[in-house]
Amino acid sequence: MLNCYHCGNDAVESEVIVFDNKNFCCKGCQTVYDLFSTSGLSTYYDFEKNPGATPKNVSAKYNYLNNVDIVDKLLDFKEDTTQIVRLYIPHIHCSSCIWILENLNTLNKGITHSQVVFSQKKVSITFNSNAISLKDLVLLLASIGYEPYISLEQYNAKPKLIDRSLLYKIGVAFFGFGNIMLLSFPEYFNVDDLWMREYQGFFRYFNILLALPVFLYSATPYYISAYHSIKTKAYNIDIPMALGIIVMFVRSLVDIFFQDGAGFLDSMCGLVFFMLSGKLIQQTTYNFLSFERDYKSYFPIAVTKLDKNIETPIQVYEIEKGNQLLIRNEELIPVDAVLLSDTAFIDYSFVTGEAVPVEKKSGDKIFAGGKQVGNAVVVEAVNTVSQSYLTQLWSNDVFQKKVSQKIKTITDKASHIFTPVLLSIAIIGFIVWSFTSFNDGFNVLTAVLIVACPCALALTAPYTWGNVIRLMGKQKLYLKNTAVIEQLSKVDTIVFDKTGTLTSTANQQIKYIGTPFTKEELIALKNCVRGSNHPLSRRLYLLLPHASIEKPQEFNEVAGKGIKAVFNNLSIKIGSAHWVGVKDDAHINETKVFISINDKVKGFYVFENEYRPGIEKLFETLKQKKYNLYVLSGDNDGEQHMLQRLLPTTTQLVFNQKPDDKLEFIKQLQTQGANVLMIGDGLNDAGALAQSNVGISISENVNVFTPASDAILDASVFTKLPYFLKFAKNAMKTIKMSYCLAISYNIIGLSFALTNNLSPLVAAIIMPVSTATIITFVSVMSTYFATKR
C-alpha cells in the first residue's frame, strides 16, 4: 500500500496515480495538487505531511445558492459588489489548512481577504460578487477538499456549550468501568470457592465484551488525535494516552486468553472514563468563558435613540428592532438598519478595510460596522446588536498590533517537546523495571504515560486570560483580546489625552462672549453642531435653544480643527481660533469654541473645564507605582498652571498637539524603549491609540469607537485605572504560579510512577484531577485579584 501525497489515505498500488514523481490515491487529489502547484501554493505541503482531504463532486448540491434570498441570509455583509460570509469548515485541523484558506485570493482573484478562526473551524471570506458568486466560492472550497457545512438554522441557534457525543462516550466508559469493577470484586479479594473456580473464565471473557465498546468507541478521540499528531509530526499528549489504552487492552487480552490473570480492563475503562471527564471539564469551562465573552459582554458605547423627536442616549445592547437611531458624523452604526434620511455616506473601513465612503439613499439597508461621514442621519434598526459580530470586526487582522506574547511562546514550546520526552522516560522506566519483573515494568510504563500531564501547562495561560478578560468586562473595561492583558502588564509609561479624558463634559459651565445671535443664526448653529459627535459639540447642542430639525446643505468636520457648514445660505465655521482665522489669548481653565458666520467672527463660547473627580489621587497613585506620566492637549497652554496644581510635578504637560503630533509623540517615547499606554476619547487621537503598545478609548455616553483601540473604558470607572494595571500584573503572576504548580505536579507524579508506587488506575484518576486543580486555582486566584483593591 502507498500513501497519497495530498490526503495521506492508502492507495492500492495498481490504482495509484503518479504525477510529478508523487503518488495520489485519486484524480481529485492529483488535481488539487496540480492546482496548488501552478498557483504557487505548494508551500501548503511544507507545514504538515498529507494535510489535505479528498475533494468531492458536489456540483449539484449547492444549486440553492442561486436563490438571492437564501444568499442574503447567509451573508454577514453586502455592499455593492463587496460581500462577506462566514463558513463552518469541518476539515480545518492544522496549520496547512489555515495557510491555504487564508491564501484563497491566489486561487481566485475575486476573493480579496480570508481569515480563519481555528478554534471554531470557521473562515470569514470577503469577495467580489461580480468576480465570484457565493455558490462558486463554496464549490471552489469543496474542490480543494474544504467543503463547508451550511445550515440556515445555525444562524439563529444558541451556541452549544457541550458536545453531546462526548457525553455519550463518557456514559459508555462509565458503564463499562462500573460493571467490570462489580464483576471483578471476587478477584480483588482473592475469593476461592467452587462458584469462583467454575465461572472465573466466563466472567473474564464477559469483561472483555464490556470493555470492547469502551476501547473501540469511547477511546476513539485519543486514537484519532494521536494518528493526526504522528502524521503531521506535531506530537501531542494524546499519543501516550492512546498508547497507554492500547497497551493495557492488549496486555489484558494476553493475560485472560493465556489464563495469567484478570488483566487491566477495569483500569483501562477507568482511564478512559476519567480522561474523558477531564476533557468535559476543560470543554465546559472554555466554552463558558467564550460564551461570556462573545454573547454577554458588550461595548460600553452609547447611541442616540429617537422617540417622537426626543433624543435619549442608550447603550448599544439595549437597541431593539424598530428603534430609530440618530447617527452623527464619525459614529459607528452598531446594528443592521434601514436609512430613513434622504442620503448618507457610509465608511465601511471597519468591515472591509477600505475607507472610501459609500452613498446610500433613503430605504437602503446599512450594515453594522459602518461609520457615518458628514451630516447626522436617522436609521431604523432591523434587528438587535450582534455582540459576537462586533467582537469579530474589532479583532480583524487589519486592526491588530504586532506584539510578542512571551507566555504563549513558552507554552507552545513546552507542549511541543513534552510528548517526546515523556515517551523516552516511559520506555527507560519500562526497560529498567523489566529486569525486576515484567509486570512491574508494564505498570511503570502505563503509569508514566498516564500520569504526566502537559494539559496543566497548556491550559494555564488560556484559562487565566479567559477569566481575566471576563472579570475586567464586568468591571467595565472591555478588552479586544487576551493579548492585551500581557501588554497591559508591561506598561511603564502612560499618556493621557486631556479633552474628553481628564475633563468631563457632564457639568461644564458654558458662557458666550461676543455679538448676540439672531434667531435664524441660533437655528443654524443648533442644526450644524447636531451632526458632530465631539464632546464640546454635544454640550453646545444641549445648551442652544430648542429649534426645528433641518439638514444643513453642506457639512464637513475636520479632526482637531472644527466644523464648516452651510445652512439656509449662512456659511458657518465652528471650532478653534485658528480655524475661524483669529488669534486667541490663553486663559486658565477654559476652552473656547469660536463661531464665524459668513466669514465674520461673531464671538466664542467659553467652556470652563470640569476635571473628573479623583484625578489628583489617580495621578498620585500612578506616580507612586513608578509610571512615567504625560498629558497631551490640542489646546493652548492656558491651563498649564491649573494642571500643575492638580497633578504631580513629575507629570509632563505638552500642549498644542494636533492628531499627527500626538502620534509622533508616542513614536518618540517608544524609540526610547518605553511601553506606552495611551488613553484618549478616540476622536482626535485615533492614530496615537493605534501606535501605542496599548490604546484605551474612554467612553462617556458617546458613540465614538475606533477599532485601533485595544480596550474601551467606561468613563465612570476612569479612576480605577491603577486597579486594572495591577490586575493585569497579577494575572501574569497567577500564570507563573500555576506553571510552578503544574510542573510540581508532573515531577511528583513521575517520581511515584518511576518508583513503581503508582498504579495505572490511580494515575488515570489523578490526571484529570490535576487539570481540574489548575482550572480551580487560576479561577480562584484571578477572582481573588479581581476583588482585591
Side-chain angles (χ1 to χ4, degrees), residues 700-751:
E700 186 174 38
N701 280 336
V702 179
N703 185 4
V704 179
F705 175 72
T706 170
S709 64
D710 300 294
I712 303 173
L713 177 66
D714 193 297
S716 64
V717 294
F718 175 65
T719 54
K720 290 173 65 175
L721 182 61
Y723 160 75
F724 291 119
L725 292 169
K726 183 67 175 175
F727 192 11
K729 291 181 184 294
N730 284 332
M732 304 312 294
K733 188 188 296 183
T734 300
I735 291 173
K736 291 171 184 175
M737 287 191 295
S738 52
Y739 271 161
C740 293
L741 186 65
I743 291 169
S744 300
Y745 158 78
N746 278 286
I747 291 173
I748 294 169
L750 285 172
S751 300

Side-chain angles (χ1 to χ4, degrees), residues 113-143:
H113 176 73
S114 50
Q115 182 180 359
V116 174
V117 181
F118 183 75
S119 60
Q120 299 176 11
K121 294 194 174 186
K122 287 183 179 180
V123 58
S124 177
I125 303 173
T126 305
F127 60 99
N128 185 324
S129 57
N130 281 351
I132 181 172
S133 66
L134 179 59
K135 177 184 176 182
D136 291 336
L137 174 61
V138 169
L139 293 178
L140 171 64
L141 289 168
S143 71

Side-chain angles (χ1 to χ4, degrees), residues 133-395:
S133 66
L134 179 59
K135 177 184 176 182
D136 291 336
L137 174 61
V138 169
L139 293 178
L140 171 64
L141 289 168
S143 71
I144 60 174
Y146 291 95
E147 182 184 359
Y149 171 75
I150 298 176
S151 167
L152 292 178
E153 288 80 9
Q154 67 182 308
Y155 293 91
N156 297 318
K158 293 182 180 179
K160 294 180 180 178
L161 295 185
I162 299 176
D163 179 6
R164 296 190 70 84
S165 66
L166 178 60
L167 294 177
Y168 299 148
K169 289 180 174 69
I170 291 174
V172 170
F174 181 71
F175 178 81
F177 174 49
N179 282 284
I180 291 173
M181 281 192 67
L182 183 65
L183 296 175
S184 300
F185 260 102
E187 303 243 23
Y188 295 155
F189 297 104
N190 292 317
V191 176
D192 185 20
D193 59 19
L194 178 64
W195 183 88
M196 187 64 195
R197 288 194 298 272
E198 191 74 26
Y199 295 102
Q200 185 181 63
F202 168 77
F203 283 112
R204 286 179 177 178
Y205 288 120
F206 189 67
N207 283 345
I208 293 176
L209 290 177
L210 290 172
L212 274 174
V214 180
F215 180 72
L216 298 176
Y217 172 67
S218 295
T220 50
Y222 297 101
Y223 307 146
I224 294 169
S225 176
Y227 170 73
H228 285 302
S229 176
I230 294 170
K231 192 170 79 166
T232 59
K233 297 182 180 178
Y235 306 115
N236 63 22
I237 187 59
D238 289 337
I239 295 175
M241 288 301 129
L243 188 59
I245 294 167
I246 293 169
V247 167
M248 292 174 77
F249 185 74
V250 173
R251 172 66 192 276
S252 299
L253 293 182
V254 171
D255 282 355
I256 292 171
F257 284 126
F258 288 94
Q259 299 183 358
D260 285 338
F264 301 89
L265 293 175
D266 50 351
S267 299
M268 188 272 292
C269 292
L271 167 64
V272 174
F273 169 69
F274 287 114
M275 288 306 305
L276 290 175
S277 298
K279 192 184 285 286
L280 177 65
I281 293 170
Q282 294 175 28
Q283 187 184 98
T284 304
T285 308
Y286 175 79
N287 286 334
F288 168 73
L289 294 176
S290 298
F291 178 82
E292 286 277 303
R293 161 82 172 162
D294 291 339
Y295 294 87
K296 290 188 177 180
S297 300
Y298 65 91
F299 292 125
I301 56 177
V303 66
T304 302
K305 175 183 172 184
L306 289 177
D307 187 8
K308 297 179 181 177
N309 289 328
I310 298 174
E311 300 175 7
T312 308
I314 61 171
Q315 295 290 339
V316 290
Y317 61 89
E318 295 175 334
I319 297 173
E320 297 178 355
K321 183 179 179 180
N323 284 167
Q324 290 189 9
L325 309 174
L326 176 67
I327 309 295
R328 297 178 175 85
N329 181 42
E330 295 293 312
E331 283 192 343
L332 176 76
I333 299 167
V335 65
D336 291 350
V338 172
L339 179 64
L340 299 182
S341 299
D342 294 336
T343 58
F345 289 89
I346 309 299
D347 174 1
Y348 280 117
S349 57
F350 186 25
V351 183
T352 65
E354 296 185 13
V356 179
V358 178
E359 184 177 5
K360 306 299 269 182
K361 301 291 186 184
S362 181
D364 287 349
K365 184 176 181 179
I366 301 175
F367 286 87
K371 194 166 62 173
Q372 164 62 4
V373 178
N375 260 322
V377 297
V378 178
V379 300
E380 182 176 308
V382 295
N383 50 34
T384 55
V385 171
S386 169
Q387 309 292 354
S388 57
Y389 178 62
L390 291 178
T391 303
Q392 175 199 321
L393 290 180
W394 195 14
S395 299

Side-chain angles (χ1 to χ4, degrees), residues 15 19 35 56 83 213 330 337-338 340 362 453 500 546 583 596 614 687 775:
E15 298 177 0
F19 178 80
L35 176 64
K56 301 175 182 177
Q83 298 184 358
E330 295 293 312
V338 172
L340 299 182
S362 181
C453 181
H546 178 75
K583 287 188 177 181
S596 167
I775 293 171

